Amino acid sequence: MSTDTRGGAAEPLVAVQDLVKRFPITRGIILQRQIGAVHAVEDLTLHIARGETLGLVGESGCGKSTTARLMARLVEPTAGSIRFDGEDITHLSGRAMQHVRRKVQIVFQDPYASLNPRQSVGQIIGAPLRIHGIEGDRRRQVQDLMEQTGLNPEHYNRYPHEFSGGQRQRIGIARALALRPSLIVCDEPVSALDVSIQAQIVSLLTDLQKEHDLTYLFISHDLGVVRHVSDRVAVMYLGRLVELADRDALYERPRHPYTAALISAVPQGTGANRRRIVLQGDVPSPANPPSGCPFHPRCPKARIISGDPAVVPENCATEMPSLTAVAPGHTAACWYPLVPGDDLIAAAEGMAPEVVEQAEEAATA
Amino acid sequence: MSEVLLEVRDLVVHFPTPDGVVKAVDGVSFTIERGRTLGVVGESGSGKSITFLTVMGLINRKSARVSGEVLFEGRNLLEATTEELRHIRGDRIGMIFQDPMTSMHPMYRVGDQISEAILAHRNVGKREAGARAVEALRQVGIPAPEQRARQYPHEYSGGMRQRAMIAMALVLDPDLLIADEPTTALDVTVQAQILEVIDELKQRLNIGVALISHSLATVADVSQDVMVMYAGRPVERGTRGEVFDAPLHPYTLGLLSSVPRVDVRVERLVPIEGSPPSLINVPPGCAFHPRCPYRFDPCDRDVPDLRDRGGGHDDACHLSAEAKAANRRERLDMQEPVT
Amino acid sequence: MGRYIVRRLLWTVLVVVLVTLLTFVIFFVLPKGDPATRFAGKSPTPELIQEVKESLGLDKSVPEQYGLFLKRLVTGDEYGWPGLGKSFQNKQPVRPELIQRAQVTITLIIGGALLWLAIGIPVGVISALRRGSVLDRVSMGTALFFVSAPVFWLGLLSLYVFWKQLGWLPGTGYVSFGASPGTWFSHMLLPWMVLALLFAAIYARVVRGNMIDVMTEDYIRTARAKGLSERRVVMKHELRTGITPVITLLAIDLGVLVGGTIVTETVFNLQGLGNWLLIAAQNNDLPVTLAVTVLVAAAVSILSLVADILYAVLDPRVRYQ
């Protein structure tokens, strides 16, 4: 993964400022009244440098898939701005957007659902070329793409159902590559695949990145895959960015309690007796996020600060902490970032039942 | 002296279809002991789920050809009548499934769904069954179980539903719990809770557990015994330490070196080439041979049986023990973290 | 819940207003000649036409007429509440005849519905449970036959067989229950069956489809894994989710049939609403057309409200929203 321009003065490929996306919840058939909103993404600010892979991790409802759609401008943001290659694309439409779409492509999670079953592979991969009126020998261009993505070019006339899951994802990648984009948004690209196939696709993506100087936004709930492919990693929780750092710093020295718990929860295959931070309760609903820091109902660090398993410090419960630098290139949105010696395992185990209950209430509200 | 709860011998489950015979399970043998967890690892189509659905008598016997033995409490369950099997399901063997969102009836209260299991097997009153259902919810760590028992599944979060499923499966003190991908549909932080609940209950109730998963790491974290399956057959079987610290079969080795980890970063993943085979056209000889980088002369002809071939535990690969050790060293070198 | 019901009832009022307005517009925008001329006899003089116009209320402007219609509907007229006026055709008050005819039609629909539910649901369930068997194929084939068989043909055929040939049942016409329950029943039996067969066929297919979907649900596997008896799995777990959608279907069908059993009523010479509506529409009899329209619109709206409430009672997920 090329890191030439990282951290330099060069302009980032993508810069997102205070991005907000809310989906209204309405009631009524004809006279729709808005009764609430799903806070999918709240105040997201980040950039992606040219040639880097930014990993984006989080659990269900954290807003990572909405972020993917916002970046590819498949949905329009409620507020905030998105700059791509120096140009404000927040509210572009029509022809101007068409131009940007060539540069930003998306690879979806489910290779089964994202390919038209009635089109041949040649038509599917060639479609972007046709739509954007690219000149040249289309068959040769498509077969070239098939070769690059590890597909047999002789299968040009076959249909999606004749391919395995891994091969279908290769078709999806070939289609994304067709217009020579600069940014590819990978939305859970390996989650639907068998374990033995995932590594093939991950390796293909990293090889293609080197070859074509691609920039990736790599979204996944699989922390292992994200660690493998990313230069920097962003962690989201309930629509908010809670931590962003260089890959190794994030995995080895997480500063946000949620990041630490998330990494700790991943099974590592290191044995039955490994102690891990077991968070209580489920992720709350993004339609009704908790006040203050959205993580406070489940946060073990807040209990260390208060010294009482049933109590959280007041600012955690009432005020959203902003993203602040905790080390060079390392930001976290936490009132009390982790310090060496914090025993989150014990704090998580010691959380009082009524706290767990509150967390569950929040999760099912 | 360990007590064997379940012994499966040479289980075969074939489904004849118009396109050919689907060899879903093709010769599987293992035992599960009291107080231990057997982790069963495999990809989709490896036969891991069908094996245990067959143990439970939950496959359609009319559409399947089944042979072998499933010995439980001194009886071959494959020869049991429908009624005998019904008395074992839910009472002596509990089972939970992948998706807690769809595994509970949406129109009945959670407490009633648990009571129903009690009433199906015990001669107790509804009130007594209801009280035991609440107690079961408490045991799996559901807060305010009295209120929660009166709620419907959609009022529960995903993690709580899986807890309620565990409560339902264990409410009659079975000897064996079969957990089929119990954490796959859940968030990472919730997965950890569920694995912990299963492990804690296993120790407290002294039961045997079969944990089915596609994730090696999940299995490794909570299992004492491990069986790796591929295309309907076990390819490696041993204790957790044996299989993870000294893997023998190239497929196991391939899985271990192709899955990225969170605790170390490796320079390059080594993918397993190709795709899992169709179960109608399973390759001859060793089913893994078309994808195996170490295949040699006998692999496409002779089916290797699962036994201790000098590597310290059971595996089904024609390679010599020395060759396997060499492969392992080579792969583990590539796994060294980059600094 | 209370607020919801009030809102839905207001909605019903709005539907009635809109539907009658539409009827008015159609009546006056697409005239089949001046209605007054038509009702004024064979060789009308202009004075006579004017007189008829006045007596029918057609001398006023259309908006005025519509306003008057709504006002009478709400406050009633000399024949009682709701005020529906006199028929253009026979100059008789609409309301008493509407009540009488509604009794006939409702008898027909309710009896038919009980019959088609009693046939359709069990056939659907059993076909689903024995999917692919001879029984399944025979019942689905029969269902296809009745879905496609025209009602008038079926009606005439049944009259021919059971009345003319076998003489088991009496012929056409309606006898009120009060006059003679036995005769009432024997006269309604054939219309009920003819009406029910079509719907029984539709319901059997719907129920079969629902049941087959439900049978593959994860929670059915869970029910078996609990060790429930097969009987309980079917009766308590599969039927509950398999049959609940039938409620909505039934509500809509009943509502539409209030004015829609035209063919059955005609074949069996039952003086019901459908029959009446047809004649009224042919004869430009505006008050009768409006009266039946109001009744059908109200029936459809209220029945669908009842269905929604029932659905919420039966399905906790709906209640929750």
Side-chain angles (χ1 to χ4, degrees):
Chain A
M1 254 147 283
S2 126
T3 52
D4 304 341
T5 53
R6 239 181 69 216
E11 190 181 17
L13 183 65
V14 184
V16 164
Q17 191 73 41
D18 302 324
L19 203 61
V20 176
K21 181 67 195 177
R22 290 187 187 146
F23 295 102
I25 307 169
T26 57
R27 184 165 284 178
I29 304 157
I30 297 199
L31 302 166
Q32 291 202 334
R33 294 170 303 133
Q34 189 175 337
I35 56 164
V38 174
H39 299 244
V41 172
E42 288 287 316
D43 296 331
L44 180 69
T45 299
L46 52 76
H47 70 270
I48 310 173
R50 282 167 212 277
E52 83 163 335
T53 299
L54 177 70
L56 184 55
V57 292
E59 299 179 279
S60 60
C62 77
K64 56 188 192 298
S65 274
T66 305
T67 304
R69 294 207 179 110
L70 286 166
M71 296 277 188
R73 268 301 316 278
L74 298 178
V75 292
E76 198 166 336
T78 309
S81 70
I82 309 170
R83 293 181 76 78
F84 179 80
D85 213 357
E87 183 187 1
D88 187 340
I89 64 162
T90 319
H91 301 291
L92 280 192
S93 59
R95 236 177 159 42
M97 195 59 225
Q98 182 97 344
H99 176 72
V100 174
R101 287 213 195 287
R102 286 180 60 166
K103 296 285 160 202
V104 184
Q105 291 292 315
I106 186 160
V107 173
F108 294 98
Q109 168 175 0
D110 188 354
Y112 301 82
S114 61
L115 303 177
N116 183 343
R118 291 202 195 98
Q119 287 188 340
S120 73
V121 171
Q123 287 172 305
I124 292 172
I125 300 174
L129 298 170
R130 195 178 64 244
I131 292 163
H132 288 268
I134 307 287
E135 301 292 314
D137 181 350
R138 191 155 303 144
R139 192 187 174 96
R140 255 205 58 199
Q141 290 171 330
V142 168
Q143 288 185 328
D144 206 39
L145 286 162
M146 290 177 76
E147 193 138 22
Q148 283 180 47
T149 48
L151 292 163
N152 184 345
E154 286 165 26
H155 294 167
Y156 184 87
N157 285 319
R158 293 200 180 178
Y159 288 84
H161 69 90
E162 297 174 78
F163 293 86
S164 68
Q167 287 171 318
R168 281 182 238 196
Q169 194 55 293
R170 289 175 193 270
I171 297 170
I173 293 170
R175 175 176 60 184
L177 274 182
L179 295 169
R180 314 207 154 277
S182 24
L183 174 71
I184 295 186
V185 177
C186 305
D187 187 6
E188 302 266 10
V190 298
S191 303
L193 303 175
D194 266 324
V195 183
S196 72
I197 308 295
Q198 292 188 0
Q200 295 175 8
I201 299 298
V202 166
S203 298
L204 173 67
L205 286 169
T206 48
D207 290 346
L208 289 171
Q209 181 172 42
K210 276 182 204 140
E211 245 167 81
H212 296 278
D213 252 340
L214 292 165
T215 304
Y216 286 151
L217 173 65
F218 193 98
I219 292 166
S220 178
H221 68 275
D222 185 328
L223 282 97
V225 171
V226 167
R227 173 159 206 185
H228 184 78
V229 300
S230 308
D231 298 304
R232 291 186 305 144
V233 177
V235 182
M236 288 182 79
Y237 186 76
L238 278 177
R240 292 187 185 267
L241 186 59
V242 295
E243 187 160 9
L244 174 65
D246 278 358
R247 170 231 308 150
D248 290 336
L250 188 105
Y251 280 84
E252 279 151 30
R253 295 176 299 279
R255 301 296 302 277
H256 196 287
Y258 175 65
T259 311
L262 194 62
I263 294 168
S264 166
V266 177
Q268 295 181 357
T270 44
N273 298 320
R274 182 173 71 91
R275 294 182 73 213
R276 53 183 154 215
I277 309 163
V278 179
L279 289 182
Q280 306 296 324
D282 260 324
V283 182
S285 156
N288 187 15
S291 63
C293 168
F295 186 56
H296 85 261
R298 304 172 78 199
C299 182
K301 171 80 193 218
R303 275 74 190 183
I304 295 177
I305 296 296
S306 70
D308 179 346
V311 172
V312 292
E314 205 194 325
N315 46 357
C316 293
T318 55
E319 238 182 299
M320 176 64 205
S322 57
L323 209 58
T324 39
V326 287
H330 192 155
T331 53
C334 180
W335 291 116
Y336 307 101
L338 296 180
V339 291
D342 281 342
D343 189 354
L344 292 182
I345 295 175
E349 278 170 2
M351 272 164 71
E354 58 268 29
V355 179
V356 180
E357 202 176 318
Q358 275 168 18
E360 281 296 352
E361 298 268 301
T364 52
Chain B
M1 187 61 204
S2 63
E3 179 195 346
V4 173
L5 290 174
L6 177 73
E7 180 170 5
V8 170
R9 284 191 202 148
D10 207 26
L11 182 69
V12 173
V13 185
H14 287 180
F15 296 97
T17 70
D19 299 325
V21 177
V22 176
K23 293 173 182 158
V25 179
D26 204 23
V28 172
S29 305
F30 60 89
T31 58
I32 297 178
E33 293 172 13
R34 188 177 285 285
R36 290 175 80 87
T37 298
L38 171 71
V40 182
V41 191
E43 300 175 82
S44 53
S46 65
K48 57 191 193 305
S49 289
I50 299 285
T51 299
F52 285 92
L53 289 172
T54 309
V55 168
M56 287 287 278
L58 288 176
I59 59 159
N60 186 351
R61 289 293 292 269
K62 281 183 210 141
S63 62
R65 289 205 297 261
V66 182
S67 67
E69 284 178 301
V70 174
L71 300 170
F72 180 76
E73 291 179 343
R75 212 165 10 161
N76 183 359
L77 297 188
L78 295 185
E79 287 164 1
T81 65
T82 317
E83 193 57 16
E84 284 169 339
L85 266 176
R86 183 178 85 70
H87 283 299
I88 287 169
R89 283 200 295 263
D91 190 349
R92 305 321 315 141
I93 309 177
M95 186 162 184
I96 60 172
F97 303 96
Q98 172 168 347
D99 192 349
M101 295 296 171
T102 56
S103 291
M104 288 199 151
H105 199 292
M107 299 190 191
Y108 294 113
R109 294 170 203 278
V110 173
D112 291 345
Q113 296 195 45
I114 300 174
S115 307
E116 196 182 21
I118 304 170
L119 294 168
H121 298 284
R122 297 283 187 276
N123 204 358
V124 298
K126 275 195 173 167
R127 186 179 280 270
E128 160 79 14
R132 284 172 71 174
V134 169
E135 194 44 42
L137 289 173
R138 196 191 313 279
Q139 294 286 315
V140 295
I142 288 185
E146 290 86 0
Q147 283 95 58
R148 287 294 187 177
R150 286 194 293 272
Q151 292 184 329
Y152 292 92
H154 64 261
E155 297 171 79
Y156 278 47
S157 65
M160 281 215 300
R161 275 190 231 190
Q162 197 60 296
R163 282 172 193 260
M165 284 295 292
I166 296 171
M168 192 190 292
L170 296 182
V171 70
L172 291 169
D173 293 322
D175 297 310
L176 183 64
L177 173 68
I178 300 172
D180 187 357
E181 302 261 9
T183 61
T184 308
L186 302 173
D187 276 326
V188 178
T189 54
V190 181
Q191 288 182 14
Q193 297 171 14
I194 296 299
L195 290 175
E196 199 179 66
V197 168
I198 293 175
D199 204 45
E200 191 213 302
L201 287 170
K202 182 202 75 182
Q203 286 171 24
R204 180 139 50 94
L205 305 173
N206 194 28
I207 57 175
V209 175
L211 177 73
I212 304 166
S213 178
H214 67 280
S215 158
L216 275 174
T218 300
V219 158
D221 267 4
V222 293
S223 305
Q224 286 75 49
D225 302 305
V226 173
M227 174 165 78
V228 182
M229 289 185 67
Y230 185 80
R233 299 175 68 93
V235 295
E236 185 154 3
R237 191 177 60 196
T239 63
R240 192 204 78 84
E242 287 167 348
V243 174
F244 284 94
D245 299 338
L248 297 168
H249 197 281
Y251 177 63
T252 316
L253 209 54
L255 284 181
L256 283 170
S257 50
S258 67
V259 177
R261 295 164 58 168
V262 285
D263 50 344
V264 286
R265 191 184 126 86
V266 294
E267 180 53 26
R268 207 164 163 82
L269 298 176
V270 188
I272 303 173
E273 296 303 324
S275 314
S278 141
L279 294 175
I280 293 178
N281 294 308
V282 180
C286 169
F288 186 61
H289 85 263
R291 304 176 73 189
C292 181
Y294 310 112
R295 63 174 172 267
F296 66 118
D297 192 32
C299 295
D300 59 356
R301 280 178 288 121
D302 299 342
V303 179
D305 54 337
L306 182 73
R307 59 185 161 85
D308 190 339
R309 293 163 173 266
H313 60 278
D314 296 346
D315 77 303
C317 174
H318 291 301
L319 290 170
S320 68
E322 296 74 43
K324 286 167 190 158
N327 295 341
R328 182 165 68 235
R329 274 194 302 277
E330 179 207 0
R331 285 295 182 96
L332 290 181
D333 282 347
M334 296 178 82
Q335 279 272 305
E336 280 302 298
V338 285
T339 42
Chain C
M1 196 66 176
R3 277 189 55 189
Y4 174 76
I5 292 171
V6 169
R7 216 168 52 232
R8 285 288 299 264
L9 288 175
L10 290 175
W11 185 240
T12 301
V13 171
L14 186 66
V15 167
V16 168
V17 169
L18 288 174
V19 169
T20 50
L21 186 63
L22 197 68
T23 311
F24 246 86
V25 168
I26 291 171
F27 186 84
F28 286 104
V29 171
L30 303 170
K32 306 171 201 155
D34 187 348
T37 318
R38 193 189 161 104
F39 294 115
K42 273 189 176 164
S43 48
T45 59
E47 293 76 25
L48 187 59
I49 291 178
Q50 188 55 36
E51 206 176 302
V52 170
K53 265 192 177 171
E54 273 165 35
S55 76
L56 297 182
L58 290 169
D59 53 334
K60 301 184 181 71
S61 73
V62 176
E64 221 174 327
Q65 286 184 52
Y66 185 63
L68 199 63
F69 162 74
L70 283 185
K71 186 178 159 238
R72 286 206 188 119
L73 195 63
V74 176
T75 60
D77 59 11
E78 63 262 47
Y79 311 110
W81 187 91
L84 297 166
K86 281 197 300 190
S87 159
F88 286 177
Q89 179 82 8
N90 59 11
K91 315 287 187 295
Q92 295 301 306
V94 171
R95 195 175 158 275
E97 190 168 359
L98 183 77
I99 291 169
Q100 205 207 328
R101 283 177 177 268
Q103 282 169 1
V104 177
T105 298
I106 289 168
T107 306
L108 174 64
I109 297 172
I110 290 182
L114 290 176
L115 202 57
W116 84 58
L117 290 176
I119 300 169
I121 292 178
V123 168
V125 170
I126 291 166
S127 292
L129 292 176
R130 305 255 178 281
R131 182 147 64 122
S133 69
V134 176
L135 189 73
D136 178 28
R137 272 176 286 177
V138 168
S139 37
M140 284 306 113
T142 314
L144 188 64
F145 172 78
F146 284 117
V147 167
S148 23
V151 175
F152 71 88
W153 176 79
L154 213 57
L156 292 175
L157 185 72
S158 68
L159 276 174
Y160 178 75
V161 173
F162 292 101
W163 178 35
K164 283 275 186 202
Q165 292 300 111
L166 299 171
W168 291 356
L169 291 168
T172 57
Y174 180 77
V175 177
S176 83
F177 182 82
S180 161
T183 322
W184 168 80
F185 186 80
S186 62
H187 271 265
M188 289 309 293
L189 201 54
L190 275 184
W192 282 337
M193 271 172 37
V194 168
L195 185 65
L197 280 174
L198 165 68
F199 284 93
I202 297 172
Y203 279 53
R205 291 165 67 92
V206 169
V207 167
R208 178 179 180 272
N210 284 347
M211 286 293 286
I212 286 170
D213 288 347
V214 170
M215 282 155 71
T216 59
E217 292 282 355
D218 287 349
Y219 55 79
I220 298 302
R221 188 182 54 191
T222 305
R224 292 211 170 84
K226 282 197 282 196
L228 302 186
S229 65
E230 200 51 37
R231 187 188 156 79
R232 194 173 170 85
V233 170
V234 174
M235 299 302 285
K236 192 142 187 243
H237 289 250
E238 292 180 352
L239 278 185
R240 178 75 186 262
T241 24
I243 289 183
T244 308
V246 166
I247 293 168
T248 313
L249 198 62
L250 184 65
I252 294 166
D253 287 340
L254 289 181
V256 172
L257 280 180
V258 167
T261 55
I262 300 171
V263 179
T264 316
E265 286 176 12
T266 310
V267 169
F268 292 98
N269 191 25
L270 296 172
Q271 298 307 314
L273 295 169
N275 205 331
W276 202 26
L277 181 65
L278 184 70
I279 297 165
Q282 281 166 349
N283 294 331
N284 284 356
D285 194 344
L286 183 61
V288 171
T289 311
L290 284 170
V292 179
T293 309
V294 168
L295 191 67
V296 172
V300 171
S301 298
I302 289 170
L303 280 168
S304 77
L305 171 63
V306 171
D308 286 351
I309 293 169
L310 265 179
Y311 215 108
V313 170
L314 289 172
D315 192 337
R317 287 168 298 180
V318 177
R319 214 179 314 160
Y320 188 66
Q321 280 162 11

